Amino acid sequence: MNLAIELKAVTEAVRKQAPKEVFSAMETATAKLAASGLTAKALQPGMRMPDFELPDATGKLVRSSTLRAQGPLLISFYRGHWCPYCNLALKALQERLADIQALGAQFVAISPQTPDHSLSTQQKHELKYPVLSDLGNKVAKQFGLVYTLDASLKPIYQAFGIDLVAHNGDSNFELPIPATYLVAEDGSVLESFLDVDYRKRLAPETALAWLERAR
């Protein structure tokens, strides 16, 4: 799949189907988040990754230190399985998972949704990599990725049938900005991609180029 084309198609579909004022409110909220400077405060290349221990979709605890011991670690933070952009990005990475592993890397995806919802994500998209639940965005906060959903978007999400309270198991309305990190075996961050615009995602080909440079 061509991820960029698929992502653009979702945006065009939303633009056509959603009322103009709804699309405008979503654009305004994204612009406000960009102006907050969140990405500049997030974990950057050259810094050390905070190690974590999170449950996978079956409840099994996964330790980042164990994964790092096996080679470079690719980490993708996503919002949840209710997000079509996230689903496309996760599927695109699944398609290149064999290539990622052939370069000696481990890959995990992390979201604030509960393990039950992570399991739904994994099963629906036939993902063969760990999908971890970061309840309360504790790890994402350590990476500096978390923001509170703009108040103007709450009724819009509800109208779209997105129940963040049910998905995340809390009423904080906090989400991580989509981000992907490549971490070396020693825990140092080698590469990062993060953007407050949830419609923009790292191309799997870029992740593979990162791994090639890290060899």
Side-chain angles (χ1 to χ4, degrees):
M1 68 183 288
N2 185 310
L3 181 58
I5 292 176
E6 297 281 353
L7 293 172
K8 185 177 180 180
V10 173
T11 298
E12 290 306 311
V14 173
R15 190 191 300 272
K16 291 177 181 178
Q17 297 173 15
K20 185 178 296 185
E21 60 272 18
V22 168
F23 195 83
S24 177
M26 295 166 71
E27 295 276 83
T28 298
T30 299
K32 285 173 62 178
L33 187 55
S36 72
L38 179 62
T39 56
K41 302 171 187 175
L43 196 69
Q44 304 290 334
M47 297 180 177
R48 183 174 178 81
M49 180 200 78
D51 272 317
F52 57 78
E53 180 180 79
L54 294 172
D56 66 11
T58 66
K60 177 185 175 182
L61 289 177
V62 176
R63 296 178 175 85
S64 59
S65 58
T66 301
L67 296 172
R68 286 195 291 103
Q70 302 173 55
L73 175 59
L74 196 64
I75 306 170
S76 180
F77 288 88
Y78 70 104
R79 304 193 301 166
H81 83 262
W82 50 268
C83 171
Y85 298 94
C86 296
N87 293 331
L88 285 172
L90 293 175
K91 287 193 290 184
L93 287 163
Q94 172 60 46
E95 289 184 359
R96 303 307 299 270
L97 182 61
D99 297 323
I100 291 171
Q101 293 173 336
L103 289 168
Q106 304 295 312
F107 175 60
V108 296
I110 300 175
S111 84
Q113 62 189 1
T114 64
D116 282 349
H117 287 100
S118 292
L119 183 60
S120 296
T121 301
Q122 193 158 40
Q123 292 177 336
K124 180 178 180 180
H125 302 296
E126 300 182 334
L127 306 179
K128 305 303 181 184
Y129 51 79
V131 179
L132 309 182
S133 292
D134 179 24
L135 298 180
N137 283 292
K138 293 178 181 178
V139 173
K141 286 177 180 176
Q142 291 181 299
F143 277 72
L145 304 173
V146 179
Y147 68 97
T148 301
L149 187 72
D150 193 84
S152 66
L153 296 182
K154 291 182 181 180
I156 293 174
Y157 276 42
Q158 291 172 353
F160 285 162
I162 301 170
D163 188 344
L164 288 183
V165 174
H167 282 290
N168 296 353
D170 61 45
S171 57
N172 295 329
F173 289 93
E174 292 179 338
L175 294 170
I177 60 172
T180 305
Y181 286 90
L182 177 62
V183 182
E185 290 94 325
D186 66 359
S188 59
V189 177
L190 300 176
E191 306 277 0
S192 68
F193 172 90
L194 49 158
D195 199 312
V196 297
D197 189 342
Y198 54 85
R199 297 168 295 189
K200 298 177 181 178
R201 304 301 172 108
L202 178 77
E205 294 74 20
T206 301
L208 292 172
W210 287 355
L211 291 169
E212 288 282 5
R213 287 199 297 269
R215 296 185 78 178

